[in-house]
Amino acid sequence: MGRFRAHGWLAVAVWITVIYAAIPFVRSLREAFVARWPAHLLAFAVMAIVAAAAGAAIWMLWRRRHATRGTDIVWLVSIGAAFIVWTTRLMQQPEEAVHFVEYGVLGVLLYRALRPSMDNPGVFVVAAVLGSLVGTVDEIIQWIVPDRYWDFRDLALNGGASALVQIALWRLARRPFSTISASTLRVVCRLAAVQVLLLILILGATPQRLAALARSLPVLAPLAQGDDVICEYGFLHRLDSTTIFRSRMSRPELRRRDARDSEEAAAIIDGYKGRYRDFLRSVSPVVDPFTYEARVHIFARNRALGRALRHPRGSSERRRLMTVAARENEILTRIYGATLNRSTFRWPDRQRAAVEAQQNRDERYVSRVARHLITKVSEAHLRVAMLAILIVLLASDRVLTNRISRSRIPASPERRRRIRGRTGPGTRR
């Protein structure tokens, strides 16, 4: 049993090492794949792996006919369908679906490593929280590594895959289990507390704070620049009933900056014409968010138009991309209008009318510019909520620790005599 447990944790360590070691090479591997095959084949490959895993799980259940219940098969089919539906929603970035394979395999390995010492249903919760914790560290490493980015969506993919796999293993495992012990609950509380503490640090790692820290620790300076930020708060603006965009600034601030600084902003934007990457490296959204966001909207508009022109007129893809170009230009015209007019990036009226004529006017559009901004809740509210959860977890850990300690204290001789006195005569009778 000890050897099996050691082998189980060795397999976990090796797989985590593979996940983390692959981080610097994922982008180049994706580009090499896309150069030969369509990117969506990655998503279809993940769907095939999920379907094969679900089929193998159902076959294993079918072999145990005396212990198989119809609800187990329904659960497994539903979990496989959830993975496949989730994958279809990632078709614009199909490589993201690979997270399901990475953390699905990790979930199985964690369960196999934990099961010898946790023969109760808590093993699935511990494995799920551990998988989520590994996924959080994965995203932190991506934030630090050049040309890789932190993404809360990836955090959800990692944690979601870990949880769904544990539910599948719960339905697949032989039952009955023993009841959940206090020691297992304590492990859950401690792992969850570490995860919450990491999230508290992440939610407070804004570019402004990192820039302030960088004055004392210059090594942090690159982490506070560009779009490579771990957490940033902003505003969600509705241009009209169909067009939505995000910004680090409020609408009054945007209007004030466009009226006051349009000439300076236009000069900076034109100064980096044809050198978009240099602009991103040189202009910080922390120092000059207005100019930075205006240029990123221009890039999004021009890229969508360039891609649209590669598709046949009247095709659905051309219409979709023309919609993106038209809406981004509308945001630029109405929010950054003075800056756009002073720059060389303003479209002639004829070009603007031609693009707008090919868009889908009824389609709801949410700009992807600054899409990482947290806009639905303030930092203060998030911090209070996370601290409350952390306090509850730490208090629960304290209660469970006291309960475990009391259960391990041997009974005193006097208490043992009282117990024998109560049970002895009854036993003789």
PDB file of all heavy atoms in Angstrom, residues 50-77:
ATOM      1  N   VAL A  50     -12.843  13.210 -24.759  1.00  0.00           N
ATOM      2  CA  VAL A  50     -13.912  13.200 -23.750  1.00  0.00           C
ATOM      3  C   VAL A  50     -14.904  12.077 -24.038  1.00  0.00           C
ATOM      4  O   VAL A  50     -15.304  11.333 -23.129  1.00  0.00           O
ATOM      5  CB  VAL A  50     -14.632  14.565 -23.725  1.00  0.00           C
ATOM      6  CG1 VAL A  50     -15.910  14.486 -22.896  1.00  0.00           C
ATOM      7  CG2 VAL A  50     -13.718  15.638 -23.152  1.00  0.00           C
ATOM      8  N   ALA A  51     -15.300  11.934 -25.300  1.00  0.00           N
ATOM      9  CA  ALA A  51     -16.251  10.882 -25.664  1.00  0.00           C
ATOM     10  C   ALA A  51     -15.661   9.499 -25.395  1.00  0.00           C
ATOM     11  O   ALA A  51     -16.348   8.601 -24.883  1.00  0.00           O
ATOM     12  CB  ALA A  51     -16.634  11.020 -27.137  1.00  0.00           C
ATOM     13  N   ALA A  52     -14.366   9.325 -25.720  1.00  0.00           N
ATOM     14  CA  ALA A  52     -13.724   8.038 -25.473  1.00  0.00           C
ATOM     15  C   ALA A  52     -13.640   7.751 -23.975  1.00  0.00           C
ATOM     16  O   ALA A  52     -13.876   6.606 -23.540  1.00  0.00           O
ATOM     17  CB  ALA A  52     -12.331   8.036 -26.094  1.00  0.00           C
ATOM     18  N   ALA A  53     -13.315   8.771 -23.165  1.00  0.00           N
ATOM     19  CA  ALA A  53     -13.225   8.580 -21.717  1.00  0.00           C
ATOM     20  C   ALA A  53     -14.590   8.242 -21.123  1.00  0.00           C
ATOM     21  O   ALA A  53     -14.703   7.351 -20.269  1.00  0.00           O
ATOM     22  CB  ALA A  53     -12.665   9.837 -21.060  1.00  0.00           C
ATOM     23  N   ALA A  54     -15.643   8.932 -21.590  1.00  0.00           N
ATOM     24  CA  ALA A  54     -16.991   8.636 -21.105  1.00  0.00           C
ATOM     25  C   ALA A  54     -17.404   7.227 -21.504  1.00  0.00           C
ATOM     26  O   ALA A  54     -18.001   6.486 -20.702  1.00  0.00           O
ATOM     27  CB  ALA A  54     -17.984   9.657 -21.661  1.00  0.00           C
ATOM     28  N   GLY A  55     -17.079   6.839 -22.735  1.00  0.00           N
ATOM     29  CA  GLY A  55     -17.404   5.480 -23.182  1.00  0.00           C
ATOM     30  C   GLY A  55     -16.677   4.429 -22.368  1.00  0.00           C
ATOM     31  O   GLY A  55     -17.269   3.398 -21.990  1.00  0.00           O
ATOM     32  N   ALA A  56     -15.387   4.660 -22.071  1.00  0.00           N
ATOM     33  CA  ALA A  56     -14.626   3.702 -21.273  1.00  0.00           C
ATOM     34  C   ALA A  56     -15.193   3.601 -19.863  1.00  0.00           C
ATOM     35  O   ALA A  56     -15.275   2.499 -19.288  1.00  0.00           O
ATOM     36  CB  ALA A  56     -13.158   4.134 -21.221  1.00  0.00           C
ATOM     37  N   ALA A  57     -15.605   4.737 -19.300  1.00  0.00           N
ATOM     38  CA  ALA A  57     -16.179   4.721 -17.950  1.00  0.00           C
ATOM     39  C   ALA A  57     -17.490   3.941 -17.916  1.00  0.00           C
ATOM     40  O   ALA A  57     -17.738   3.151 -16.997  1.00  0.00           O
ATOM     41  CB  ALA A  57     -16.405   6.158 -17.469  1.00  0.00           C
ATOM     42  N   ILE A  58     -18.330   4.133 -18.925  1.00  0.00           N
ATOM     43  CA  ILE A  58     -19.607   3.413 -18.983  1.00  0.00           C
ATOM     44  C   ILE A  58     -19.357   1.915 -19.169  1.00  0.00           C
ATOM     45  O   ILE A  58     -20.041   1.074 -18.567  1.00  0.00           O
ATOM     46  CB  ILE A  58     -20.478   3.978 -20.120  1.00  0.00           C
ATOM     47  CG1 ILE A  58     -20.917   5.407 -19.756  1.00  0.00           C
ATOM     48  CG2 ILE A  58     -21.690   3.098 -20.384  1.00  0.00           C
ATOM     49  CD1 ILE A  58     -21.587   6.143 -20.887  1.00  0.00           C
ATOM     50  N   TRP A  59     -18.357   1.568 -19.982  1.00  0.00           N
ATOM     51  CA  TRP A  59     -18.025   0.156 -20.183  1.00  0.00           C
ATOM     52  C   TRP A  59     -17.559  -0.471 -18.879  1.00  0.00           C
ATOM     53  O   TRP A  59     -17.924  -1.606 -18.555  1.00  0.00           O
ATOM     54  CB  TRP A  59     -16.942   0.045 -21.251  1.00  0.00           C
ATOM     55  CG  TRP A  59     -16.492  -1.366 -21.494  1.00  0.00           C
ATOM     56  CD1 TRP A  59     -17.167  -2.359 -22.167  1.00  0.00           C
ATOM     57  CD2 TRP A  59     -15.258  -1.959 -21.057  1.00  0.00           C
ATOM     58  NE1 TRP A  59     -16.430  -3.512 -22.168  1.00  0.00           N
ATOM     59  CE2 TRP A  59     -15.254  -3.310 -21.497  1.00  0.00           C
ATOM     60  CE3 TRP A  59     -14.161  -1.475 -20.343  1.00  0.00           C
ATOM     61  CZ2 TRP A  59     -14.192  -4.177 -21.245  1.00  0.00           C
ATOM     62  CZ3 TRP A  59     -13.104  -2.346 -20.091  1.00  0.00           C
ATOM     63  CH2 TRP A  59     -13.125  -3.659 -20.539  1.00  0.00           C
ATOM     64  N   MET A  60     -16.744   0.267 -18.090  1.00  0.00           N
ATOM     65  CA  MET A  60     -16.301  -0.251 -16.788  1.00  0.00           C
ATOM     66  C   MET A  60     -17.482  -0.485 -15.863  1.00  0.00           C
ATOM     67  O   MET A  60     -17.534  -1.491 -15.137  1.00  0.00           O
ATOM     68  CB  MET A  60     -15.319   0.733 -16.154  1.00  0.00           C
ATOM     69  CG  MET A  60     -13.972   0.814 -16.855  1.00  0.00           C
ATOM     70  SD  MET A  60     -12.922   2.139 -16.190  1.00  0.00           S
ATOM     71  CE  MET A  60     -12.730   1.589 -14.489  1.00  0.00           C
ATOM     72  N   LEU A  61     -18.445   0.442 -15.882  1.00  0.00           N
ATOM     73  CA  LEU A  61     -19.642   0.250 -15.068  1.00  0.00           C
ATOM     74  C   LEU A  61     -20.438  -0.959 -15.540  1.00  0.00           C
ATOM     75  O   LEU A  61     -20.978  -1.728 -14.740  1.00  0.00           O
ATOM     76  CB  LEU A  61     -20.525   1.495 -15.125  1.00  0.00           C
ATOM     77  CG  LEU A  61     -20.146   2.675 -14.222  1.00  0.00           C
ATOM     78  CD1 LEU A  61     -21.069   3.843 -14.480  1.00  0.00           C
ATOM     79  CD2 LEU A  61     -20.210   2.264 -12.755  1.00  0.00           C
ATOM     80  N   TRP A  62     -20.515  -1.114 -16.850  1.00  0.00           N
ATOM     81  CA  TRP A  62     -21.318  -2.210 -17.403  1.00  0.00           C
ATOM     82  C   TRP A  62     -20.745  -3.571 -17.012  1.00  0.00           C
ATOM     83  O   TRP A  62     -21.489  -4.538 -16.831  1.00  0.00           O
ATOM     84  CB  TRP A  62     -21.372  -2.072 -18.926  1.00  0.00           C
ATOM     85  CG  TRP A  62     -22.348  -3.013 -19.562  1.00  0.00           C
ATOM     86  CD1 TRP A  62     -22.091  -4.149 -20.265  1.00  0.00           C
ATOM     87  CD2 TRP A  62     -23.769  -2.891 -19.525  1.00  0.00           C
ATOM     88  NE1 TRP A  62     -23.237  -4.744 -20.677  1.00  0.00           N
ATOM     89  CE2 TRP A  62     -24.303  -3.993 -20.236  1.00  0.00           C
ATOM     90  CE3 TRP A  62     -24.641  -1.958 -18.967  1.00  0.00           C
ATOM     91  CZ2 TRP A  62     -25.663  -4.167 -20.410  1.00  0.00           C
ATOM     92  CZ3 TRP A  62     -26.000  -2.145 -19.143  1.00  0.00           C
ATOM     93  CH2 TRP A  62     -26.491  -3.229 -19.858  1.00  0.00           C
ATOM     94  N   ARG A  63     -19.426  -3.638 -16.839  1.00  0.00           N
ATOM     95  CA  ARG A  63     -18.799  -4.893 -16.423  1.00  0.00           C
ATOM     96  C   ARG A  63     -19.163  -5.240 -14.996  1.00  0.00           C
ATOM     97  O   ARG A  63     -19.164  -6.415 -14.620  1.00  0.00           O
ATOM     98  CB  ARG A  63     -17.278  -4.780 -16.555  1.00  0.00           C
ATOM     99  CG  ARG A  63     -16.799  -4.743 -18.002  1.00  0.00           C
ATOM    100  CD  ARG A  63     -15.289  -4.759 -18.056  1.00  0.00           C
ATOM    101  NE  ARG A  63     -14.751  -5.981 -17.468  1.00  0.00           N
ATOM    102  CZ  ARG A  63     -13.453  -6.198 -17.232  1.00  0.00           C
ATOM    103  NH1 ARG A  63     -12.579  -5.242 -17.514  1.00  0.00           N
ATOM    104  NH2 ARG A  63     -13.046  -7.321 -16.711  1.00  0.00           N
ATOM    105  N   ARG A  64     -19.482  -4.218 -14.187  1.00  0.00           N
ATOM    106  CA  ARG A  64     -19.904  -4.449 -12.809  1.00  0.00           C
ATOM    107  C   ARG A  64     -21.418  -4.386 -12.739  1.00  0.00           C
ATOM    108  O   ARG A  64     -22.000  -3.562 -12.058  1.00  0.00           O
ATOM    109  CB  ARG A  64     -19.312  -3.391 -11.879  1.00  0.00           C
ATOM    110  CG  ARG A  64     -17.815  -3.237 -11.980  1.00  0.00           C
ATOM    111  CD  ARG A  64     -17.236  -2.546 -10.758  1.00  0.00           C
ATOM    112  NE  ARG A  64     -17.903  -1.336 -10.380  1.00  0.00           N
ATOM    113  CZ  ARG A  64     -17.388  -0.111 -10.495  1.00  0.00           C
ATOM    114  NH1 ARG A  64     -16.197   0.034 -11.040  1.00  0.00           N
ATOM    115  NH2 ARG A  64     -18.060   0.949 -10.114  1.00  0.00           N
ATOM    116  N   ARG A  65     -22.083  -5.226 -13.454  1.00  0.00           N
ATOM    117  CA  ARG A  65     -23.543  -5.121 -13.605  1.00  0.00           C
ATOM    118  C   ARG A  65     -24.274  -5.186 -12.276  1.00  0.00           C
ATOM    119  O   ARG A  65     -25.271  -4.514 -12.081  1.00  0.00           O
ATOM    120  CB  ARG A  65     -24.053  -6.231 -14.528  1.00  0.00           C
ATOM    121  CG  ARG A  65     -23.553  -6.088 -15.955  1.00  0.00           C
ATOM    122  CD  ARG A  65     -24.106  -7.162 -16.845  1.00  0.00           C
ATOM    123  NE  ARG A  65     -23.570  -7.061 -18.195  1.00  0.00           N
ATOM    124  CZ  ARG A  65     -23.869  -7.895 -19.180  1.00  0.00           C
ATOM    125  NH1 ARG A  65     -24.703  -8.896 -18.954  1.00  0.00           N
ATOM    126  NH2 ARG A  65     -23.332  -7.751 -20.369  1.00  0.00           N
ATOM    127  N   HIS A  66     -23.763  -6.010 -11.361  1.00  0.00           N
ATOM    128  CA  HIS A  66     -24.458  -6.153 -10.085  1.00  0.00           C
ATOM    129  C   HIS A  66     -24.408  -4.870  -9.254  1.00  0.00           C
ATOM    130  O   HIS A  66     -25.236  -4.664  -8.377  1.00  0.00           O
ATOM    131  CB  HIS A  66     -23.831  -7.298  -9.275  1.00  0.00           C
ATOM    132  CG  HIS A  66     -22.395  -7.059  -8.915  1.00  0.00           C
ATOM    133  ND1 HIS A  66     -21.358  -7.189  -9.840  1.00  0.00           N
ATOM    134  CD2 HIS A  66     -21.810  -6.665  -7.741  1.00  0.00           C
ATOM    135  CE1 HIS A  66     -20.220  -6.909  -9.243  1.00  0.00           C
ATOM    136  NE2 HIS A  66     -20.455  -6.588  -7.979  1.00  0.00           N
ATOM    137  N   ALA A  67     -23.400  -3.985  -9.550  1.00  0.00           N
ATOM    138  CA  ALA A  67     -23.264  -2.756  -8.766  1.00  0.00           C
ATOM    139  C   ALA A  67     -23.606  -1.504  -9.555  1.00  0.00           C
ATOM    140  O   ALA A  67     -23.487  -0.402  -9.039  1.00  0.00           O
ATOM    141  CB  ALA A  67     -21.832  -2.651  -8.241  1.00  0.00           C
ATOM    142  N   THR A  68     -24.014  -1.673 -10.804  1.00  0.00           N
ATOM    143  CA  THR A  68     -24.273  -0.525 -11.668  1.00  0.00           C
ATOM    144  C   THR A  68     -25.718  -0.060 -11.533  1.00  0.00           C
ATOM    145  O   THR A  68     -26.643  -0.876 -11.518  1.00  0.00           O
ATOM    146  CB  THR A  68     -23.983  -0.884 -13.133  1.00  0.00           C
ATOM    147  OG1 THR A  68     -22.625  -1.283 -13.237  1.00  0.00           O
ATOM    148  CG2 THR A  68     -24.219   0.304 -14.042  1.00  0.00           C
ATOM    149  N   ARG A  69     -25.886   1.245 -11.449  1.00  0.00           N
ATOM    150  CA  ARG A  69     -27.222   1.834 -11.420  1.00  0.00           C
ATOM    151  C   ARG A  69     -27.389   2.746 -12.623  1.00  0.00           C
ATOM    152  O   ARG A  69     -26.423   3.339 -13.114  1.00  0.00           O
ATOM    153  CB  ARG A  69     -27.431   2.613 -10.124  1.00  0.00           C
ATOM    154  CG  ARG A  69     -27.409   1.737  -8.885  1.00  0.00           C
ATOM    155  CD  ARG A  69     -27.599   2.565  -7.631  1.00  0.00           C
ATOM    156  NE  ARG A  69     -26.491   3.479  -7.411  1.00  0.00           N
ATOM    157  CZ  ARG A  69     -26.367   4.232  -6.325  1.00  0.00           C
ATOM    158  NH1 ARG A  69     -27.289   4.177  -5.380  1.00  0.00           N
ATOM    159  NH2 ARG A  69     -25.344   5.042  -6.188  1.00  0.00           N
ATOM    160  N   GLY A  70     -28.629   2.862 -13.073  1.00  0.00           N
ATOM    161  CA  GLY A  70     -28.890   3.706 -14.231  1.00  0.00           C
ATOM    162  C   GLY A  70     -28.492   5.143 -14.007  1.00  0.00           C
ATOM    163  O   GLY A  70     -28.042   5.823 -14.935  1.00  0.00           O
ATOM    164  N   THR A  71     -28.620   5.606 -12.775  1.00  0.00           N
ATOM    165  CA  THR A  71     -28.261   6.999 -12.492  1.00  0.00           C
ATOM    166  C   THR A  71     -26.763   7.257 -12.690  1.00  0.00           C
ATOM    167  O   THR A  71     -26.367   8.358 -13.076  1.00  0.00           O
ATOM    168  CB  THR A  71     -28.651   7.371 -11.045  1.00  0.00           C
ATOM    169  OG1 THR A  71     -28.072   6.404 -10.145  1.00  0.00           O
ATOM    170  CG2 THR A  71     -30.149   7.392 -10.877  1.00  0.00           C
ATOM    171  N   ASP A  72     -25.931   6.229 -12.431  1.00  0.00           N
ATOM    172  CA  ASP A  72     -24.498   6.392 -12.648  1.00  0.00           C
ATOM    173  C   ASP A  72     -24.207   6.678 -14.121  1.00  0.00           C
ATOM    174  O   ASP A  72     -23.406   7.559 -14.455  1.00  0.00           O
ATOM    175  CB  ASP A  72     -23.740   5.130 -12.220  1.00  0.00           C
ATOM    176  CG  ASP A  72     -23.815   4.897 -10.723  1.00  0.00           C
ATOM    177  OD1 ASP A  72     -23.920   5.888  -9.980  1.00  0.00           O
ATOM    178  OD2 ASP A  72     -23.771   3.738 -10.295  1.00  0.00           O
ATOM    179  N   ILE A  73     -24.851   5.917 -15.009  1.00  0.00           N
ATOM    180  CA  ILE A  73     -24.639   6.111 -16.447  1.00  0.00           C
ATOM    181  C   ILE A  73     -25.154   7.476 -16.881  1.00  0.00           C
ATOM    182  O   ILE A  73     -24.519   8.175 -17.676  1.00  0.00           O
ATOM    183  CB  ILE A  73     -25.331   4.980 -17.233  1.00  0.00           C
ATOM    184  CG1 ILE A  73     -24.660   3.641 -16.907  1.00  0.00           C
ATOM    185  CG2 ILE A  73     -25.278   5.254 -18.735  1.00  0.00           C
ATOM    186  CD1 ILE A  73     -25.307   2.445 -17.553  1.00  0.00           C
ATOM    187  N   VAL A  74     -26.296   7.884 -16.336  1.00  0.00           N
ATOM    188  CA  VAL A  74     -26.836   9.210 -16.678  1.00  0.00           C
ATOM    189  C   VAL A  74     -25.866  10.295 -16.257  1.00  0.00           C
ATOM    190  O   VAL A  74     -25.614  11.261 -17.001  1.00  0.00           O
ATOM    191  CB  VAL A  74     -28.212   9.412 -16.011  1.00  0.00           C
ATOM    192  CG1 VAL A  74     -28.679  10.860 -16.173  1.00  0.00           C
ATOM    193  CG2 VAL A  74     -29.238   8.460 -16.608  1.00  0.00           C
ATOM    194  N   TRP A  75     -25.284  10.169 -15.063  1.00  0.00           N
ATOM    195  CA  TRP A  75     -24.309  11.151 -14.593  1.00  0.00           C
ATOM    196  C   TRP A  75     -23.112  11.228 -15.535  1.00  0.00           C
ATOM    197  O   TRP A  75     -22.653  12.311 -15.905  1.00  0.00           O
ATOM    198  CB  TRP A  75     -23.828  10.789 -13.186  1.00  0.00           C
ATOM    199  CG  TRP A  75     -24.658  11.365 -12.083  1.00  0.00           C
ATOM    200  CD1 TRP A  75     -25.669  10.752 -11.404  1.00  0.00           C
ATOM    201  CD2 TRP A  75     -24.554  12.675 -11.518  1.00  0.00           C
ATOM    202  NE1 TRP A  75     -26.199  11.585 -10.457  1.00  0.00           N
ATOM    203  CE2 TRP A  75     -25.535  12.778 -10.501  1.00  0.00           C
ATOM    204  CE3 TRP A  75     -23.732  13.759 -11.767  1.00  0.00           C
ATOM    205  CZ2 TRP A  75     -25.702  13.925  -9.749  1.00  0.00           C
ATOM    206  CZ3 TRP A  75     -23.892  14.909 -11.016  1.00  0.00           C
ATOM    207  CH2 TRP A  75     -24.867  14.993 -10.023  1.00  0.00           C
ATOM    208  N   LEU A  76     -22.566  10.072 -15.914  1.00  0.00           N
ATOM    209  CA  LEU A  76     -21.375  10.054 -16.764  1.00  0.00           C
ATOM    210  C   LEU A  76     -21.667  10.656 -18.132  1.00  0.00           C
ATOM    211  O   LEU A  76     -20.858  11.423 -18.675  1.00  0.00           O
ATOM    212  CB  LEU A  76     -20.864   8.619 -16.909  1.00  0.00           C
ATOM    213  CG  LEU A  76     -20.268   8.006 -15.636  1.00  0.00           C
ATOM    214  CD1 LEU A  76     -19.923   6.545 -15.862  1.00  0.00           C
ATOM    215  CD2 LEU A  76     -19.023   8.768 -15.202  1.00  0.00           C
ATOM    216  N   VAL A  77     -22.811  10.318 -18.700  1.00  0.00           N
ATOM    217  CA  VAL A  77     -23.188  10.888 -19.997  1.00  0.00           C
ATOM    218  C   VAL A  77     -23.355  12.401 -19.885  1.00  0.00           C
ATOM    219  O   VAL A  77     -22.920  13.170 -20.755  1.00  0.00           O
ATOM    220  CB  VAL A  77     -24.478  10.222 -20.524  1.00  0.00           C
ATOM    221  CG1 VAL A  77     -25.000  10.965 -21.757  1.00  0.00           C
ATOM    222  CG2 VAL A  77     -24.217   8.767 -20.873  1.00  0.00           C
TER     223      VAL A  77
END
